[in-house]
């Protein structure tokens, strides 16, 4: 990496790009995890939204819900991008990232949700106008960097982002050109990967896919959306790193943050050398016999501690070349034979895995203790896992929020269920107390589910007593249906015809073979009278009652 | 059971028995074809080659004492090949009408979608009015004129899909599936014994069950079948639901209502009843409506079929009871 110019001077685009790549290489895994937490749901949601809206026949029906989901995912993405940029900024400044308090997270989310969506309007407009594009683009990228919730107000954040966007416009333009070219190369890479992988799968493994059957399969919007999304996912971390560095150097012009960072870096780099130098001093003294003995001043490091520090330093990877080669001696286990050695190695591997799992579980337990505010276990120190603190803080806030929401939803659901049960019980009680009004059998829209079978039967006998045989037969048939539904031999539905009930009954009456015949007889008589307008009389009614009686007793 | 019902049952039972001498199985197909004849309407028969589409129509003609003619539709078929044409007679010095195959009782329009729309349209007037106009002169067709048009459901290359107006003229679409294993086994055994269906028909072993004018009387008797107002309303609800369904680009028209009503009556007659039940209407909704409805492309892409749409409508429409 080339030497950086003095504070306030504009660096070259290539140099900044190189520095951004170096920064990304040094970035710890938790920061990458935070980035993935934002990007993966958003990209999956976007592809689903794209596919649903471009192909589904029911797109219009789901549009509002899906759009709301996408908006929430966008805010989610921007919030995690701000977390990622904060980690980048901390790494560049050679300092630990600040903890994410609930207040800070809320401020950051509100800020991102308030400002970032304007990019959908401003960026295309700027692109059409061409000239202001670089500034507008830089502004919205900078919002992710400076919008981490530290600024006192929304206005201050926006002004800061704009100030950073206006700095070094020539560098900004060069950077955009280079990043665009890189994005094109990445896009071509993804396209060629998608184009070649199916053919390689077919050639090597014989797996046939849509793409190998016809190359026309590539020509669809979903394919291009997928490739575009993957290109963006590949390029976006670099874009964020570049604009994080730009913001860092812009702010350093007034704060001197770059000098402080350089000093911190030098300090951390010189510590092992300093210790080495301290360790070498007495050795050098002993080497020369003529040199008079120098008595160590009072208050200096004890010899044992110094030796330990020296050993520690020399054991580091950078100094191992200074160590003499140690001749390895055959241990007793080497004579045990290759088979036992093989099993011993497996046992050692399993043991190492188990230790790793135990360590992870231990860490998780400590994290849970800290999250729940329980007493810390002895031996635990904040520095021992200080790395995790940076990214676990926002996670902790989100987890607590999620737990709170889940608890609220659960309580609400239990309360609603309780109320429904209460209402059903009250309604049932009311139904027992007050008999349901009898439906008008002259009307067509009468369902057998309206009354219990006894009520229908009583109604039928009332009509029979008055000589209204047609209505009596209808009530009798409805009573049969209600009875069969009560015995769960039929499922009543307004769209089912009589023969569909017969078929349903035939399927369910293996245990009661005597059910089908009386039901069919009753149905045929009812249909002749009800649909065919055939005359009904007491004799026919008597026969139908017998059918019903057989049905009830079967 | 009244004498009217008994007469139908007897006649139709004899007709079915005679048809079964030739057609093995396919009871539902035979019933649907009889419904088309009894109502004086036309039917579209769809099935793969070799399922006895032609034989069915020839047998029906033989059993019902009717004339039979067949037209093989090809891309170069002209309208005059169907209706007939006036030819100048040099001896008598006048034009003489050479009648086309349309002048018959039962006309089998084989592979109707092989001919272009212009030729297909030659059948429109014949089907609707039972008359054809040749050189400005209108000629009446047989009152028993019934068209059975066949289509092959798998070969679409080089075909001309029937226009919606033409499809609407067919009361119902009969899907002829391949026979079951037992039925095909019976067919094979009969072939070995020299009792192949075509031979049975050719030997004249199928006897007519009706006299020359009895089909007209049977058709007139259909009007005595009771259809309650509530059932007419139910039928209308079904047809109208197809016009309002979101998945359908074109619903069924008023002709579909008439067709479903007529077919339901015929179905009741075939079942030996003098009244229509909701089951008659439900059973015929698919054959009557399926070929008339057009699915929206976006729903077609989703994998929905017209059959499923009709089934959903049938499930959702309350049955009068």
């Amino acid at each position: 990496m080339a030497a950086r110019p003095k504070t306030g001077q504009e660096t070259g685009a290539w140099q900044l790009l190189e520095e951004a790549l170096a920064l990304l290489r040094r970035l710890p895994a938790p920061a990458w995890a935070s980035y993935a937490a934002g990007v993966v749901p958003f990209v999956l949601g976007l592809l689903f939204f794209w596919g649903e809206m471009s192909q589904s026949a029911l797109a219009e029906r789901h549009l509002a819900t899906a759009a709301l989901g996408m908006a929430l995912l966008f805010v989610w993405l921007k919030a995690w991008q701000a977390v990622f940029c904060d980690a980048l900024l901390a790494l560049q400044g050679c300092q630990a990232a600040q903890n994410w308090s609930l207040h800070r997270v809320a401020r950051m989310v509100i800020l991102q949700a308030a400002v970032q969506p304007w990019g959908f309007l401003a960026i295309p407009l700027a692109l059409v106008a061409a000239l202001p594009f670089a500034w507008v683009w830089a502004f919205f990228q900078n919002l992710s960097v400076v919008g981490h919730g530290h600024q006192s107000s929304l206005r201050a954040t926006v002004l800061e982002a704009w100030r950073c966007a206006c700095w070094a416009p020539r560098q900004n333009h060069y950077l955009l050109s280079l990043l665009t070219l890189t994005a094109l190369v990445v896009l071509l890479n993804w396209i060629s990967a998608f184009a070649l992988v199916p053919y390689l799968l077919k050639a090597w493994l014989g797996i046939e896919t849509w793409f190998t059957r016809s190359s026309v399969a590539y020509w669809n919007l979903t394919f291009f959306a997928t490739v575009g999304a993957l290109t963006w996912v590949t390029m976006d971390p670099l874009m964020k790193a570049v604009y994080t560095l730009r913001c860092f150097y812009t702010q350093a012009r007034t704060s001197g943050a770059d000098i402080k960072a350089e000093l911190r870096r030098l300090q951390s780099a010189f510590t092992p050398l300093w210790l080495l130098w301290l360790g070498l001093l007495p050795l050098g003294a002993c080497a020369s016999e003529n040199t008079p003995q120098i008595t160590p001043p009072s208050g200096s490091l004890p010899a044992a501690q110094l030796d330990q520090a020296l050993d520690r330093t020399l054991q580091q990877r950078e100094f191992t070349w200074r160590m003499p080669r140690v001749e390895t001696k055959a241990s007793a286990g080497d004579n045990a034979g290759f088979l036992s050695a093989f099993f011993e190695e497996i046992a050692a591997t399993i043991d190492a895995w188990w230790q790793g799992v135990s360590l992870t579980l231990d860490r998780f337990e400590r994290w849970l203790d800290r999250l729940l505010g329980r007493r810390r276990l002895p031996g635990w120190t904040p520095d021992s896992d200080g790395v995790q603190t940076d990214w676990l803080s926002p996670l902790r806030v989100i987890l607590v929020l999620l737990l709170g929401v889940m608890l609220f939803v659960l309580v609400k659901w239990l309360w609603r269920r309780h109320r429904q049960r209460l209402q059903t019980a009250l309604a049932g009680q009311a139904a027992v107390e007050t008999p349901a009004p009898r439906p008008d059998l002259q009307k067509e829209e009468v369902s057998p589910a309206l009354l219990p079978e006894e009520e229908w039967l009583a109604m039928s006998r009332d009509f029979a007593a008055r000589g209204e045989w047609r209505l009596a037969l209808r009530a009798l048939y409805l009573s049969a249906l209600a009875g069969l539904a009560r015995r769960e031999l039929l499922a009543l539905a307004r769209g089912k015809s009589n023969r569909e009930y017969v078929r349903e009954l035939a399927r369910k009456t293996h245990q009661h073979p005597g059910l089908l015949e009386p039901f069919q007889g009753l149905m045929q008589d009812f249909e002749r009278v009800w649909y065919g307008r055939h005359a009904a009389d007491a004799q026919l009614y008597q026969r139908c009652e017998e059918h019903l009686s057989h049905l009830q007793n079967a | 059971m009244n004498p009217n019902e008994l007469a139908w049952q007897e006649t139709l039972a004899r007709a079915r028995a005679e048809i079964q001498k030739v057609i093995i199985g396919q009871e539902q197909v035979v019933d649907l074809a009889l419904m088309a004849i009894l109502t004086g309407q036309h039917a579209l028969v769809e099935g793969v080659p070799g399922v006895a589409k032609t034989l069915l129509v020839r047998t029906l003609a033989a059993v019902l004492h009717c004339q039979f003619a067949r037209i093989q539709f090809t891309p170069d078929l002209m309208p005059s090949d169907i209706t007939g044409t006036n030819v100048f007679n040099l001896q008598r010095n006048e034009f003489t009408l050479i009648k086309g195959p349309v002048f018959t009782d039962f006309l089998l329009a084989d592979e109707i979608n092989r001919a272009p729309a212009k030729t297909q349209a030659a059948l429109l007037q014949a089907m609707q009015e039972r008359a054809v106009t040749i050189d400005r002169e209108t000629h009446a067709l047989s009152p028993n004129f019934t068209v059975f048009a066949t289509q092959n459901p798998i070969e679409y290359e080089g075909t001309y899909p029937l226009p919606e107006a033409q499809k609407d003229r067919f009361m119902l679409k009969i899907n002829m599936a391949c026979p079951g294993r037992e039925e095909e086994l019976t067919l094979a055994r009969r072939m070995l014994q020299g009792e192949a269906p075509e031979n049975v028909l050719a030997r004249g072993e199928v006897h007519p069950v009706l006299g020359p004018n009895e089909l007209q009387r049977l058709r007139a008797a259909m009007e005595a079948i009771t259809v309650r107002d509530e059932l007419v309303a139910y039928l209308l609800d079904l047809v109208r639901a197809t016009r309002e369904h979101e998945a359908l680009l074109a619903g069924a028209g008023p002709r579909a209502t008439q067709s479903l009503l007529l077919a339901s009556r015929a179905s009741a007659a075939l079942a030996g009843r003098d009244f229509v039940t909701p089951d008659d209407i439900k059973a015929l909704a698919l054959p009557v409506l399926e070929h008339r409805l057009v699915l929206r492309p976006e729903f077609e892409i989703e994998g929905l079929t017209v059959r499923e749409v009709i089934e959903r409508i049938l499930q959702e429409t309350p049955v009068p009871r």
Side-chain angles (χ1 to χ4, degrees):
Chain A
M1 194 164 40
R4 286 208 55 77
K6 288 178 188 172
T7 305
Q9 281 185 348
E10 181 182 321
T11 51
W14 278 113
Q15 193 181 340
L16 201 71
L17 209 55
E18 202 179 326
E19 206 174 333
L21 285 168
L23 191 64
L24 286 176
R25 275 204 295 271
R26 286 191 287 131
L27 201 63
W32 283 110
S34 70
Y35 183 75
V39 162
V40 173
F42 177 77
V43 169
L44 291 178
L46 183 71
L47 290 177
F48 176 77
F49 181 78
W50 184 286
E52 188 71 7
M53 292 303 125
S54 60
Q55 289 174 9
S56 172
L58 308 172
E60 273 183 40
R61 196 183 291 174
H62 305 306
L63 178 62
T65 329
L68 178 66
M70 277 315 299
L72 291 175
L73 278 176
F74 178 74
V75 175
W76 172 265
L77 167 82
K78 287 294 162 190
W80 280 108
Q81 280 183 339
V83 174
F84 177 72
C85 289
D86 192 52
L88 281 171
L89 210 56
L91 189 67
Q92 175 64 16
C94 259
Q95 57 187 359
Q98 291 185 28
N99 281 342
W100 288 89
S101 63
L102 184 62
H103 180 62
R104 188 185 163 195
V105 170
R107 203 159 52 184
M108 180 261 287
V109 170
I110 291 167
L111 193 142
Q112 295 293 333
V115 189
Q116 289 284 9
W118 290 101
F120 288 111
L121 184 70
I123 292 172
L125 282 177
L127 196 63
V128 171
L131 269 180
F133 175 71
W135 284 273
V136 174
W137 178 261
F139 169 72
F140 282 102
Q141 292 295 323
N142 292 346
L143 275 174
S144 295
V145 183
V146 298
H148 42 49
H150 279 317
Q151 294 289 340
S152 55
S153 67
L154 177 71
R155 188 167 177 272
T157 308
V158 171
L159 285 175
E160 182 61 17
W162 183 248
R163 188 174 75 87
C164 293
C166 292
W167 183 68
R170 191 171 55 176
Q171 182 204 54
N172 189 19
H173 279 85
Y174 277 136
L175 275 172
L176 273 179
S177 310
L178 288 172
L179 287 170
T180 309
L181 280 174
T182 318
L184 273 175
V185 173
V186 171
L187 178 72
L188 288 174
N189 267 287
W190 276 117
I191 290 175
S192 55
F194 271 88
L196 287 176
V197 165
Y199 288 99
L200 290 177
L201 280 176
K202 190 185 175 186
W204 290 344
L205 306 171
I207 298 170
E208 190 83 52
T209 58
W210 283 0
F211 299 109
T212 48
R213 285 197 197 104
S214 166
S215 54
V216 182
Y218 287 107
W219 294 100
N220 64 75
L221 284 174
T222 310
F223 172 75
F224 289 109
T226 309
V227 172
L230 284 170
T231 308
W232 175 73
V233 170
T234 316
M235 286 301 297
D236 192 53
L238 185 61
M239 188 74 79
K240 290 288 174 289
V242 162
Y243 281 96
T244 302
L245 286 175
R246 268 177 58 84
C247 286
F248 176 76
Y249 290 122
T250 313
Q251 288 170 339
R253 291 168 69 205
T254 51
S255 66
D258 56 343
I259 298 171
K260 286 179 194 167
E262 202 71 32
L263 284 173
R264 283 194 207 104
R265 204 170 289 130
L266 282 172
Q267 192 181 7
S268 58
F270 276 116
T271 306
L273 289 175
W274 175 246
L275 284 172
L276 180 68
W277 181 73
L278 278 177
L280 286 174
L281 268 182
L283 286 175
C286 295
S288 161
E289 284 181 1
N290 299 329
T291 313
Q293 289 282 332
I294 300 169
T295 50
S298 60
S300 65
L301 287 168
Q305 201 177 343
L306 194 63
D307 285 345
Q308 212 176 350
L310 203 60
D311 286 342
R312 248 199 333 265
T313 308
L314 286 172
Q315 288 297 327
Q316 286 178 8
R317 198 177 176 80
E318 292 87 348
F319 305 106
T320 46
W321 61 275
R322 292 172 184 272
M323 303 292 286
R325 283 180 184 274
V326 180
E327 192 182 348
T328 52
K329 288 178 184 173
S331 63
D334 291 346
N335 302 325
F338 75 93
L339 206 60
S340 57
F342 171 71
F343 285 114
E344 274 172 16
E345 203 166 320
I346 288 178
T349 311
I350 291 170
D351 190 43
W353 285 352
W354 174 245
Q355 279 181 4
V357 170
S358 305
L359 195 67
T360 311
L361 284 174
D362 192 39
R363 278 182 181 172
F364 177 71
E365 197 180 351
R366 275 186 282 152
W367 174 75
L368 209 61
D369 283 344
R370 205 173 42 193
L371 183 75
L372 300 173
R374 289 202 304 225
R375 192 172 58 80
R376 290 171 184 174
L377 295 172
W380 180 83
T381 55
D383 296 332
S384 61
D385 58 354
V387 181
Q388 283 93 330
T389 314
D390 297 335
W391 66 278
L392 282 176
S393 300
L395 270 184
R396 185 177 59 184
V397 173
I398 290 165
L399 195 66
V400 169
L401 275 174
L402 278 174
L403 281 172
V405 170
M406 278 170 67
L407 200 67
F408 175 74
V409 170
L410 188 72
V411 168
K412 182 126 179 142
W413 179 73
L414 285 171
W415 171 244
R416 283 182 65 181
R417 200 175 157 79
H418 174 69
R419 275 183 61 186
Q420 275 175 357
R421 277 188 181 173
L422 207 67
Q423 280 173 358
T424 315
L426 284 172
Q429 201 177 352
V432 169
E433 284 166 3
T434 54
R438 285 185 167 184
D440 184 3
L441 276 188
Q442 296 283 359
K443 291 182 179 172
E444 281 302 315
E445 58 271 17
V446 175
S447 164
L450 286 175
L451 289 176
E453 56 185 302
E454 301 82 20
E455 286 283 321
W456 283 121
L457 196 59
M459 217 172 147
S460 168
R461 283 173 183 156
D462 286 352
F463 281 121
R466 291 204 296 267
E468 294 181 39
W469 302 112
R470 281 188 81 236
L471 296 180
L473 271 178
R474 191 183 186 199
L476 206 64
Y477 181 64
L478 293 172
S479 167
L481 285 179
L484 290 169
R486 181 187 54 77
R487 292 161 70 184
E488 295 183 350
L489 293 166
L490 287 183
L492 298 176
R494 58 183 197 160
K496 281 186 186 170
S497 65
N498 293 334
R499 272 170 187 74
E500 281 173 321
Y501 282 134
V502 169
R503 283 195 287 274
E504 194 177 342
L505 201 60
R507 282 199 302 272
K508 292 185 179 174
T509 51
H510 306 294
Q511 306 284 335
H512 316 280
L515 270 175
L516 201 59
E517 203 179 327
F519 182 71
Q520 272 183 315
L522 181 60
M523 186 202 75
Q524 280 167 3
D525 286 337
F526 162 70
E527 284 192 339
R528 276 181 71 79
V529 172
W530 190 249
Y531 298 124
R533 296 188 188 280
H534 285 259
D537 51 16
Q539 196 183 349
L540 182 68
Y541 183 77
Q542 186 66 33
R543 193 170 71 195
C544 288
E545 263 203 329
E546 281 170 16
H547 285 316
L548 186 65
S549 168
H550 288 312
L551 204 60
Q552 286 167 341
N553 297 329
Chain B
M1 198 169 283
N2 62 33
N4 202 13
E5 283 181 58
L6 279 171
W8 286 339
Q9 279 204 330
E10 193 192 341
T11 308
L12 293 169
R14 278 195 295 135
R16 279 177 176 148
E18 289 299 319
I19 292 167
Q20 277 169 4
K21 286 181 183 174
V22 179
I23 305 294
I24 303 160
Q26 309 273 20
E27 285 87 3
Q28 201 193 350
V29 171
V30 171
D31 280 357
L32 288 172
L34 283 171
M35 278 179 216
I37 294 165
L38 290 175
T39 52
Q41 298 290 312
H42 313 280
L44 190 62
V45 187
E46 201 169 272
V48 292
V51 288
K53 296 190 286 280
T54 311
L55 194 64
L56 171 72
V57 183
R58 280 175 59 198
T59 312
L60 284 168
V63 169
L64 300 175
H65 206 275
C66 291
Q67 287 180 340
F68 169 78
R70 179 175 182 274
I71 310 170
Q72 181 64 50
F73 277 65
T74 53
D76 58 351
L77 192 76
M78 299 299 289
S80 57
D81 296 333
I82 297 170
T83 56
T85 185
N86 281 315
V87 176
F88 190 73
N89 189 331
L90 285 171
Q91 286 176 342
R92 294 166 65 182
N93 206 21
E94 63 179 14
F95 281 97
T96 312
L97 177 66
I98 306 293
K99 289 181 176 176
V102 80
F103 288 88
T104 185
D105 292 327
F106 292 177
L107 177 71
L108 180 72
D110 211 0
E111 296 198 89
I112 190 169
N113 55 345
R114 295 267 166 212
K118 183 179 72 175
T119 314
Q120 288 173 10
L123 276 177
L124 276 176
Q125 190 195 4
M127 288 168 74
Q128 186 64 30
E129 300 169 17
R130 291 200 158 75
V132 284
T133 304
I134 304 164
D135 290 344
R136 298 180 194 174
E137 198 176 335
T138 303
H139 304 270
L141 299 178
S142 160
N144 295 334
F145 177 70
T146 305
V147 176
F148 289 93
T150 71
Q151 276 194 141
N152 184 347
I154 49 172
E155 273 182 53
Y156 286 110
E157 219 162 293
T159 61
Y160 301 86
L162 289 179
E164 299 308 316
Q166 179 87 11
K167 279 196 277 191
D168 201 32
R169 297 295 196 283
F170 293 102
M171 183 178 79
L172 41 83
K173 188 171 93 169
I174 304 170
N175 283 309
M176 279 188 87
C178 289
R181 189 180 183 280
E182 287 304 315
E183 291 158 358
E184 213 164 339
L185 199 63
T186 311
L187 178 68
R189 284 183 184 141
R190 281 175 60 172
M191 281 283 292
L192 290 174
Q193 293 160 4
E195 294 289 319
E198 293 86 354
N199 297 345
V200 173
L201 192 63
R203 288 202 296 264
E205 289 178 19
V206 175
H207 305 295
V209 297
L210 298 176
N213 294 319
E214 276 190 339
L215 187 57
Q216 287 299 312
R217 281 215 312 252
L218 209 57
R219 280 179 181 166
M222 290 286 134
E223 288 171 16
I225 291 175
T226 309
V227 189
R228 282 192 63 205
D229 288 347
E230 289 77 11
L231 287 186
V232 179
Y234 170 64
L235 185 150
L236 203 63
D237 287 345
L238 289 177
V239 176
R240 291 182 74 83
T242 64
R243 294 174 207 158
E244 289 154 14
H245 201 280
E246 59 172 1
L248 295 173
L249 189 67
R255 196 178 276 125
T257 311
Q258 296 170 25
S259 297
L260 191 51
L261 199 54
L262 289 171
S264 304
R265 273 180 155 175
S267 170
L270 285 168
R273 281 184 271 110
D274 64 349
F275 59 91
V276 172
T277 66
D279 280 296
D280 295 320
I281 299 169
K282 286 190 94 168
L284 285 162
L286 196 67
V288 171
L289 298 177
E290 191 182 11
H291 64 290
R292 292 182 157 95
L293 306 182
V294 182
L295 209 57
R296 284 187 187 279
E298 55 265 37
F299 285 88
E300 207 169 350
I301 290 167
E302 290 284 311
L304 196 71
T305 59
V306 173
R307 174 182 284 264
E308 285 169 347
V309 173
I310 295 172
E311 279 167 3
R312 277 184 207 174
I313 290 172
L314 287 173
Q315 279 170 13
E316 287 163 7
T317 312
V319 174
R321 185 177 292 110

